[in-house]
Amino acid sequence: MPQQILAGVTPTANAPSSISDLEALLKDDIKVKVAGIDVDGVLRGKYMSKEKFMSAASSDGFNFCSVIFGWDMHDAVYSRELLISNRANGYRDLIASIDLATYRRIPWENNVPFFLVSFLDPDTKEPICADPRGVLRQVVTKARSKGWRCMAGCEYEYFQFKETPESLAEKNFTDLQPLTSGMHGYSLLRTQINSEYFNDIFDESLKFQVPLEGHHTETGPGVYETALAYTDALRVADNAILFKFLAKSIGMKRGVVPSFMAKPWGNLPGCSGHIHVSLRDEKGKSLFAVSDSELKTGRADAQYEDTKFLSKEGEWFLAGILDGLPDVMPMLVPTINGYKRLVGGEAFWAPNAVTYGYDSRAASIRIISPPSVPPSATRMEIRVPGADMNPYFALSAIFALGFRGIEKKLVLPGPPVSQLTQGDKKAGKVKMLPQSLEAATERMMRPESIAREEAVFGNDFVEHYGGTRQHEVKLWNEAVTNWEVERYLELA
């Protein structure tokens, strides 16, 4: 039995549990589509003949060029040589290990069968250090060794434009036409415009086995928000990546370009990628929930009022995220543009400090617990990531830091956001998050960074991923923007 069948992700419906099952599923097919994920969260894949696919599925996998870990999202080779793919190793092949648990069919591509892959080192057959699925699987496996199950949900906000890839290029990405005009959050009326596209996103998601919990307009011209169903962490990361693929694919067919860029407009709210997380024990009970005896008055030894309906383990988990958050910011906010969303701070519902609070959308981490929800729904919402996040890295960072908090029994660094003032920020009593990708990457790559701890991500990951972010910063620092030309060309 190939290792990839025991993948550690909640299988999709009808996912094969054996090669004979796989043969039966594909008996009427001539080709299969496969894809893996690069560090920017971009799907990289291809069609394979059924015969080639079956051979790969029956073994360790198939060869896939490592250059997808040696170049950026626009296929430009990184500014300096990095660990996985470089001139010294000849941009050698990796092994793409097929995850049979991810079986689904693509409804808008004639129901072609589709599988995700993870990337392995060809010599050791171990996951490469920066494979997004491999990184998250290691975190999930650690949780399972302790009897915990990582649970998560994801919410995407995204702008829509009445454009095509060709028109974007012809217009130099300026003067783009929003799908609809005005600020119309939760509007039933605005969805009557482009209703086929709006409904296709929801309906095709279900057919594609990417279940959704909610789908509505958000405030901003042509903005939608879609909430992905709560499930295990690796499955929700898969679903999040595939939802973007789905939305963009359906949009192309209808002359619409959905954009998950974090901050397309300076004067409008940005696009968030909020993540909800919890841990469950082997019986399915939330590890963050208080006991039945504590449900009426709350936990007596809670550090603050805001955490009295959060278990002791939940408080440690929260403290772990807060302790390490500044050191893993590139995992949550990986782009230059993503920090533009945070700079506006509270004015645009985006957190820019190490803060938490009960049911507080002003905080970086929102505690969702009784009395507003049943104990079983106790969880945390991480509000820092934008829609441009790589969900595998973001979830890995959240859970790895949370586990560290539980293991070290960390205490909360200070009071909840409801007890803080603007004066506290000015006085330096509130730790601020890095305000640029450059600052965030420098902090993550420090020798003493929490991200470098082996129990979190380790040096190999930090060096490779940090190098990719340094490349992004280098390109930005070399760029001359329209703003600079308009401001300085005449008067400087």
Side-chain angles (χ1 to χ4, degrees), residues 24-329:
L25 275 176
L26 304 182
K27 65 183 177 64
D28 296 323
D29 297 291
I30 62 171
K31 61 187 177 184
V32 179
K33 180 167 275 192
V34 295
I37 299 96
D38 69 15
V39 297
D40 289 300
V42 176
L43 282 168
R44 303 281 188 169
K46 62 180 180 179
Y47 278 128
M48 298 177 71
S49 70
K50 181 170 70 173
E51 292 74 22
K52 175 70 173 177
F53 176 83
M54 289 300 303
S55 174
S58 302
S59 62
D60 290 326
F62 60 94
N63 289 359
F64 202 112
C65 183
S66 66
V67 75
I68 64 169
F69 290 94
W71 64 21
D72 63 20
M73 64 168 60
H74 287 278
D75 295 2
V77 175
Y78 289 127
S79 309
R80 65 180 178 88
E81 298 283 86
L82 299 179
L83 180 65
I84 296 171
S85 183
N86 51 59
R87 292 181 184 87
N89 66 22
Y91 301 99
R92 65 177 182 169
D93 281 345
L94 302 172
I95 293 177
S97 177
I98 300 164
D99 190 341
L100 297 185
T102 65
Y103 163 77
R104 46 184 42 88
R105 289 179 180 267
I106 305 177
W108 62 91
E109 287 189 38
N110 299 318
N111 277 321
V112 66
F114 175 84
F115 295 84
L116 288 169
V117 305
S118 298
F119 295 106
L120 309 180
D121 183 283
D123 297 327
T124 66
K125 306 296 192 296
E126 294 294 323
I128 60 171
C129 66
D131 173 53
R133 296 191 85 241
V135 170
L136 181 54
R137 183 180 281 114
Q138 287 178 331
V139 174
V140 168
T141 300
K142 179 178 180 178
R144 289 189 174 184
S145 71
K146 298 177 180 295
W148 304 335
R149 185 181 176 195
C150 299
M151 304 296 295
C154 176
E155 303 165 354
Y156 276 130
E157 296 170 349
Y158 47 107
F159 280 83
Q160 256 91 191
F161 300 97
K162 283 185 180 178
E163 303 288 351
T164 66
E166 292 76 16
S167 70
L168 292 177
E170 289 169 0
K171 292 181 172 184
N172 291 318
F173 293 85
T174 60
D175 299 321
L176 305 183
Q177 184 180 355
L179 188 61
T180 56
S181 61
M183 310 286 278
H184 298 281
Y186 298 96
S187 172
L188 296 186
L189 187 60
R190 273 296 182 269
T191 56
Q192 302 307 305
I193 309 171
N194 311 293
S195 62
E196 290 184 353
Y197 168 66
F198 179 79
N199 283 290
D200 273 355
I201 291 176
F202 195 103
D203 298 343
E204 296 297 281
S205 290
L206 296 184
K207 295 177 189 175
F208 195 39
Q209 299 200 55
V210 178
L212 308 181
E213 289 186 351
H215 182 50
H216 60 88
T217 63
E218 185 51 279
T219 188
V223 181
Y224 292 166
E225 178 174 350
T226 305
L228 278 60
Y230 207 70
T231 183
D232 79 78
L234 186 51
R235 176 67 187 273
V236 88
D238 288 345
N239 288 352
I241 284 292
L242 294 177
F243 175 77
K244 284 187 176 184
F245 171 59
L246 175 145
K248 293 176 182 181
S249 299
I250 293 173
M252 285 181 180
K253 292 180 179 294
R254 296 195 176 276
V256 177
V257 173
S259 174
F260 294 82
M261 182 177 176
K263 186 75 170 177
W265 311 115
N267 61 342
L268 291 172
C271 295
S272 69
H274 297 158
I275 292 174
H276 293 244
V277 298
S278 66
L279 289 175
R280 291 182 183 170
D281 63 19
E282 293 173 335
K283 296 181 179 179
K285 183 179 182 296
S286 173
L287 199 70
F288 294 169
V290 294
S291 66
D292 291 342
S293 62
E294 296 169 321
L295 194 52
K296 191 169 185 179
T297 59
R299 185 166 52 87
D301 61 345
Q303 271 192 258
Y304 296 98
E305 187 78 7
D306 285 44
T307 59
K308 70 178 184 178
F309 289 103
L310 192 63
S311 71
K312 191 67 176 176
E313 291 82 0
E315 194 171 87
W316 290 333
F317 188 95
L318 171 61
I321 301 174
L322 294 169
D323 186 48
L325 186 58
D327 284 2
V328 300
M329 279 294 286

Side-chain angles (χ1 to χ4, degrees), residues 367-390:
I367 300 169
I368 303 172
S369 69
S372 64
V373 298
S376 60
T378 303
R379 61 193 188 277
M380 298 171 202
E381 180 188 29
I382 317 304
R383 297 178 58 81
V384 174
D388 57 355
M389 67 171 173
N390 182 326

